Amino acid sequence: MDEVLLRSLTPSVLTVLVRRGADFAAAEDAVQDALVEALRVWPADPPRDAKGWLVTVAWRKFLDAMRADTARRRREDRLKEEPAPGPTPAADDTLQLYFLCAHPSLTPASAVALTLRAVGGLTTRQIAQAYLVPEATMAQRISRAKRTVAGVRFDRPGDVATVLRVLYLVFNEGYSGDVDLAAEAIRLTRQLAARIDHPEVAGLLALMLLHHARRAARTAPDGSLVPLAEQDRGRWDTALITEGVGILQAALARDRLGEFQAQAAIAALHADAPTAEETDWVQIVEWYDELTRLTDSPIVRLNRAVAVGEADGPRAGLAALAALDASSPSSPSGEHPLPRHAAVAAYLHERDGDLATAARLYAEAAHQAPNLAERDHLTRQAARLNARRRR
């Protein structure tokens, strides 16, 4: 049974049902029931037309649900209109489904869950495992999301930027449970790129590929994090790097720069350096300047401070960090609101030779770390500097 094929067909089957008049929530439930039926039937009796089979079964599941509904009499006309068996229409509304699942009325968490379910074809159990929440909790989240978009017209133009941010959220979740969310995000972004000619879609795909190329080198055999500068570049996936750079170059040639293209350009410069010491930090700073102009994001300016510290020395990096601090005051508890701010400050202070301040900031960063692997890495950095100071 090819589960990847099933997931790839899910959005187009769902859009057929919606075009036939099914409301989104009921259509999505029917498609999920059809997928379960396919998993049961196909191993012994595979269909010649997989999509057509799924459309037929999903439509029947939808009709069965309507017959059981208390409002059956108001739907009798629709029940009499079941299409005769035959080829499935070639029209593909998958792009509209992306827009619907990333509707502005949804929270980011709900948009991600609905995208993985309706566009990605994942089960509620798989999504719940990936996000480490109970299946019942994820089911409620998906149900609320479906109710939220139930009245949205399917033929309205959507916001590409919102869709891309949802896909990037999926990508950044990485791997958990039995679903590789990074690989799933790449698959969905490839699918989107095949349906819409947009340089930022290409930019996001390039960014994902370039980051994913380094995945094998990011962790040591014991599971600990390996910083970029210390990674074995021989373990990077050169095929993914080549593909990502090619996609990025084609997007940049269109002269419609966006934030994902700029991020991909930075990732490409890292990928192009044979060693960490040969990284073109000056050009990376220039790309961060472009990215700051496009987004004015504090996180971008935080990352820019690191690049400035590498290009012009740690004092320059600390000055860039101070400028950021002036516009982003600390919380009442004294912690900086930006994630990983303390880790960046610790790194720059260490490079500047202030080991006491760096050790204190590494310990602070470990306390604020979002996951165990990062916390352990930062704790080791603090311990390393404290040991050096005692010598």
Side-chain angles (χ1 to χ4, degrees):
M1 169 60 63
D2 189 345
E3 292 191 23
V4 174
L5 171 63
L6 279 178
R7 294 208 303 270
S8 68
L9 292 172
T10 295
S12 57
V13 173
L14 178 54
T15 56
V16 169
L17 266 65
V18 172
R19 283 296 185 191
R20 288 182 178 179
D23 67 88
F24 178 80
E28 204 278 327
D29 288 340
V31 171
Q32 290 295 321
D33 289 341
L35 294 175
V36 171
E37 186 74 3
L39 290 171
R40 184 183 68 82
V41 172
W42 285 12
D45 185 19
R48 284 181 295 180
D49 178 6
K51 179 180 175 182
W53 188 98
L54 286 171
V55 168
T56 299
V57 173
W59 184 249
R60 287 174 180 166
K61 296 286 186 183
F62 166 71
L63 295 182
D64 288 344
M66 293 300 99
R67 290 188 180 99
D69 193 275
T70 55
R72 181 185 61 181
R73 284 173 298 178
R74 290 181 294 169
R75 295 184 171 90
E76 285 179 350
D77 290 341
R78 182 185 291 171
L79 297 180
K80 295 175 183 177
E81 295 174 1
E82 179 173 356
T88 303
D92 186 355
D93 295 316
T94 300
L95 181 58
Q96 294 302 110
L97 189 59
Y98 274 92
F99 292 142
L100 186 65
C101 292
H103 194 269
S105 62
L106 295 172
T107 65
S110 294
V112 165
L114 193 58
T115 297
L116 289 173
R117 169 84 182 235
V119 184
L122 300 181
T123 66
T124 302
R125 179 187 61 81
Q126 288 174 315
I127 302 170
Q129 285 185 343
Y131 283 90
L132 304 177
V133 300
E135 185 173 349
T137 300
M138 185 57 69
Q140 291 174 351
R141 184 180 300 173
I142 293 172
S143 294
R144 286 195 299 268
K146 289 194 291 186
R147 288 195 298 270
T148 299
V149 301
V152 177
R153 287 180 55 186
F154 199 67
D155 56 354
R156 288 182 178 177
D159 178 17
V160 174
T162 302
V163 174
L164 296 182
R165 287 190 176 88
V166 169
L167 291 175
Y168 197 38
L169 284 174
V170 176
F171 179 79
N172 284 329
E173 287 299 325
Y175 176 85
S176 184
D178 63 351
V179 177
D180 185 337
L181 289 177
E184 185 66 17
I186 291 173
R187 184 182 74 83
L188 294 177
T189 307
R190 285 190 190 279
Q191 185 172 278
L192 180 62
R195 288 169 169 81
I196 183 170
D197 183 19
H198 194 293
E200 273 292 83
V201 176
L204 177 58
L205 179 56
L207 176 63
M208 289 179 174
L209 293 173
L210 290 165
H211 279 314
H212 206 56
R214 304 200 300 261
R215 178 173 180 168
R218 284 199 189 103
T219 54
D222 63 359
S224 60
L225 291 180
V226 180
L228 176 61
E230 299 172 20
Q231 289 176 13
D232 178 0
R233 300 186 177 219
R235 299 184 65 196
W236 290 2
D237 189 326
T238 55
L240 287 182
I241 291 173
T242 299
E243 182 185 5
V245 169
I247 292 171
L248 173 63
Q249 289 175 337
L252 291 175
R254 301 177 65 174
D255 199 24
R256 290 169 54 195
L257 184 63
E259 61 178 292
F260 288 116
Q261 295 169 73
Q263 288 188 56
I266 293 168
L269 286 168
H270 283 297
D272 187 54
T275 66
E277 293 73 23
E278 295 174 88
T279 302
D280 189 346
W281 287 107
V282 172
Q283 194 172 167
I284 287 176
V285 171
E286 292 174 355
W287 275 111
Y288 272 122
D289 289 340
E290 290 284 354
L291 197 51
T292 301
R293 181 181 60 79
L294 290 166
T295 68
D296 195 28
S297 163
I299 293 177
V300 169
R301 286 189 280 153
L302 179 66
N303 291 330
R304 178 185 178 276
V306 176
V308 169
E310 298 290 352
D312 301 326
R315 293 284 175 91
L318 288 168
L321 198 61
L324 173 59
D325 292 342
S327 60
S328 303
S330 299
S331 66
S333 65
E335 293 183 353
H336 200 283
L338 283 180
R340 299 182 176 87
H341 178 278
V344 169
Y347 175 73
L348 291 172
H349 277 290
E350 179 185 358
R351 288 200 61 222
D352 194 40
D354 187 351
L355 301 189
T357 300
R360 175 179 59 79
L361 287 169
Y362 275 131
E364 179 183 323
H367 176 70
Q368 301 169 7
N371 56 66
L372 182 61
E374 194 167 328
R375 187 187 72 189
D376 289 348
H377 171 72
L378 293 167
T379 300
R380 283 194 297 270
Q381 297 304 307
R384 174 179 57 82
L385 292 188
N386 284 325
R388 282 179 58 186
R389 292 173 58 215
R390 288 193 294 267
R391 289 175 188 167

